[in-house]
C-alpha cells in the first residue's frame, strides 16, 4: 500500500478557503455600486473550484503527486492566459458580450485561485521544512517511537529491542523492524525526531512509519522470488536486499532464514546509504550472537 501523505487534502482545504476572497470582494463592489450581486458567476466559480477541491480531497497519492498537480495547473493556466491574450489581440469585440465576459471572468478567477492556493501550500511547506544541518552520525536518537506487536514477549525480545534501539541515530539509521516467524515482533524508529524534519518533504512522519510497517512481508516475498529465480546457479539464498531510492534506502537483512527472522531497516539520508548498510550488517551480527547463532562474519570465515 502506498504512502498516504495529506498534501492533497491540505491543498483542497486551502482552495476552498480561497473562495471567500473573490465572493466577498464582488459582494462589496456590488454593494458600493448599488448593483445586484451576480449569483450565476459566483455559482460557476464555487462549482468549478469545489469540483477540483473534491477531486484533490479524494485523490490517492499513488495517482497524483504535488509536483504533477502543480505542473498541470500551471500549464493549463499558462495556456488559458496565452489563448485569452491572443483572442483579445486578434479578434475585435470577441469578449464584449455579457455572457462571454462573465465566462472569461469566472474562468480567470478559478485559475487564479488554483495557482494562488498552490503557491500558499508550497510556501507553507517550504517554511516548515527549511534546510537544517544534518546531525553527526554519532548523534543518538532523542525521540524514539517503539511499537510492540502481538508476538512480542519481554523475556525473549526486550534485549533485542534495546539492541536495535541503541543503534538508531539521527545521522544514519532511522527505522528498524524485527520479524520472527515471518511476523513483525517490534519496531523502533526516530521518524518524529526534529532533526529529521527536513527529510520528510510532503510525507508526514506517521504516514511514512505506517508504510514501512507494511513493507516486511512484501520485501520477504520479493526475496523468495529472487531465490527461486537464481536457484539453478547453486550460490545459496539471498541474505540481504538493499533498495537504494532517491532519498535514502530500505534494507532487508536475513537474521535466520529457517525461523523467519529478519530485519527491515531504513535511512532517509541518501549520503549515508553505504554507512547505514554496514551498520545494519553489524546489527544483524550482534542479533545473531544474542540469539545464539554464529555471526555472519564467522560463517563466511568458515567457508
Amino acid at each position: 500500500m502506498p504512502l498516504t501523505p495529506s498534501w492533497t487534502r491540505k491543498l483542497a482545504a486551502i482552495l476552498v478557503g480561497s473562495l471567500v476572497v473573490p465572493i466577498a470582494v464582488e459582494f462589496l463592489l456590488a454593494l458600493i455600486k448599488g448593483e445586484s450581486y451576480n449569483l450565476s458567476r459566483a455559482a460557476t466559480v464555487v462549482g468549478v473550484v469545489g469540483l477540483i477541491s473534491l477531486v484533490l480531497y479524494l485523490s490517492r497519492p499513488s495517482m497524483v503527486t504535488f509536483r504533477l498537480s502543480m505542473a498541470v495547473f500551471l500549464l493549463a493556466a499558462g495556456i488559458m492566459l496565452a489563448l485569452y491574450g491572443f483572442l483579445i489581440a486578434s479578434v475585435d469585440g470577441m469578449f464584449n458580450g455579457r455572457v462571454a465576459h462573465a465566462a472569461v471572468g469566472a474562468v480567470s478567477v478559478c485559475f487564479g485561485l488554483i495557482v494562488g492556493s498552490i503557491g500558499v501550500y508550497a510556501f507553507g511547506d517550504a517554511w516548515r521544512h527549511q534546510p537544517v544541518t544534518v546531525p553527526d552520525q554519532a548523534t543518538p536518537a532523542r525521540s524514539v517511537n517503539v511499537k510492540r506487536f502481538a508476538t512480542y514477549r519481554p523475556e525473549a525480545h526486550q534485549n533485542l529491542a534495546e539492541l536495535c534501539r541503541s543503534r538508531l541515530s539521527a545521522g544514519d539509521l532511522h527505522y528498524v523492524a524485527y520479524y520472527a516467524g515471518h511476523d513483525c515482533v517490534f519496531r523502533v524508529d526516530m521518524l518524529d525526531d526534529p532533526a529529521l524534519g527536513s527529510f520528510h518533504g510532503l510525507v508526514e512522519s506517521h504516514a511514512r512509519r505506517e508504510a514501512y510497517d507494511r513493507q516486511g512481508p512484501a520485501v520477504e516475498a520479493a526475496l523468495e522470488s529472487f531465490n527461486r529465480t537464481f536457484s539453478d546457479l547453486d550460490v545459496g539464498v539471498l541474505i540481504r536486499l538493499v533498495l537504494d531510492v532517491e532519498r535514502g534506502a530500505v534494507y532487508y537483512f536475513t537474521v535466520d532464514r529457517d525461523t523467519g527472522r529478519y530485519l527491515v531497516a531504513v535511512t532517509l539520508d541518501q549520503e549515508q546509504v553505504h554507512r547505514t548498510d554496514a551498520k545494519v550488517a553489524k546489527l544483524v551480527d550482534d542479533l545473531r550472537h544474542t540469539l545464539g547463532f554464529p555471526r555472519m562474519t564467522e560463517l563466511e570465515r568458515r567457508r
Side-chain angles (χ1 to χ4, degrees), residues 76-250:
I79 292 174
M80 288 293 297
L81 182 60
L83 181 61
Y84 179 54
F86 173 77
L87 292 176
I88 288 178
S90 59
V91 183
D92 293 334
M94 181 169 184
F95 298 107
N96 290 340
R98 190 169 184 177
V99 175
H101 186 74
V104 171
V107 171
S108 299
V109 169
C110 290
F111 275 101
L113 291 178
I114 293 168
V115 175
S117 297
I118 291 175
V120 169
Y121 180 85
F123 179 82
D125 184 74
W127 183 266
R128 290 192 304 271
H129 300 101
Q130 296 184 53
V132 297
T133 302
V134 176
D136 183 79
Q137 285 78 17
T139 303
R142 293 177 294 171
S143 177
V144 177
N145 183 286
V146 180
K147 182 172 182 180
R148 302 170 182 85
F149 294 85
T151 54
Y152 180 89
R153 301 193 313 278
E155 66 277 8
H157 302 125
Q158 184 172 354
N159 57 339
L160 303 179
E162 287 300 322
L163 182 59
C164 292
R165 176 173 178 161
S166 68
R167 304 301 170 87
L168 294 178
S169 167
D172 42 44
L173 183 57
H174 304 139
Y175 172 102
V176 177
Y178 174 78
Y179 290 75
H182 308 286
D183 293 321
C184 192
V185 178
F186 63 82
R187 175 256 295 148
V188 294
D189 72 78
M190 54 175 300
L191 298 178
D192 293 326
D193 195 296
L196 301 183
S198 61
F199 290 115
H200 291 302
L202 298 176
V203 182
E204 306 287 353
S205 59
H206 67 86
R208 187 181 294 278
R209 178 182 296 112
E210 291 171 1
Y212 290 149
D213 287 348
R214 295 189 293 267
Q215 298 311 309
V219 177
E220 185 182 20
L223 203 72
E224 288 304 315
S225 176
F226 288 140
N227 281 330
R228 290 191 295 271
T229 300
F230 298 116
S231 60
D232 295 339
L233 298 178
D234 190 27
V235 292
V237 297
L238 290 167
I239 59 173
R240 165 176 161 269
L241 181 66
V242 180
L243 304 176
D244 189 348
V245 294
E246 288 185 5
R247 288 180 291 180
V250 179

